[in-house]
Amino acid sequence: PIYARNIDGNKAIIKHQRTGFLFDTPNEILNLIEQPTNDITKNAYEYVYNYHSKRKEIEAYSELFKN
């Protein structure tokens, strides 16, 4: 699973406790590390595969250049 600071750029791609963990303080990450991650890891993989795979990124950039 992904553990990332709770900032706008990270929040754009990580959904807290669904595709990763967002934290504000160092103490928060320590508590988050102790949580189960099986479903989160699966959800994160599916999200990246469906929305940020190499194919999806190429399609998105192609559309951007077309416009």
Side-chain angles (χ1 to χ4, degrees):
I2 299 296
Y3 297 88
R5 288 290 264 178
N6 189 15
I7 60 172
D8 290 340
N10 293 336
K11 289 192 291 189
I13 59 171
I14 298 169
K15 305 304 175 221
H16 185 62
Q17 294 186 329
R18 221 172 50 197
T19 60
F21 296 101
L22 298 169
F23 64 92
D24 291 307
T25 67
N27 287 335
E28 283 183 85
I29 193 171
L30 296 175
N31 292 329
L32 292 171
I33 288 172
E34 296 176 356
Q35 294 188 19
T37 61
N38 290 343
D39 289 339
I40 291 172
T41 301
K42 179 182 172 231
N43 293 343
Y45 175 84
E46 290 173 358
Y47 175 78
V48 170
Y49 181 82
N50 290 325
Y51 298 100
H52 296 284
S53 67
K54 186 190 310 187
R55 178 180 52 83
K56 289 288 187 179
E57 293 292 322
I58 289 170
E59 289 172 3
Y61 277 109
S62 293
E63 283 300 312
L64 180 66
F65 287 124
K66 284 179 190 175
N67 294 326

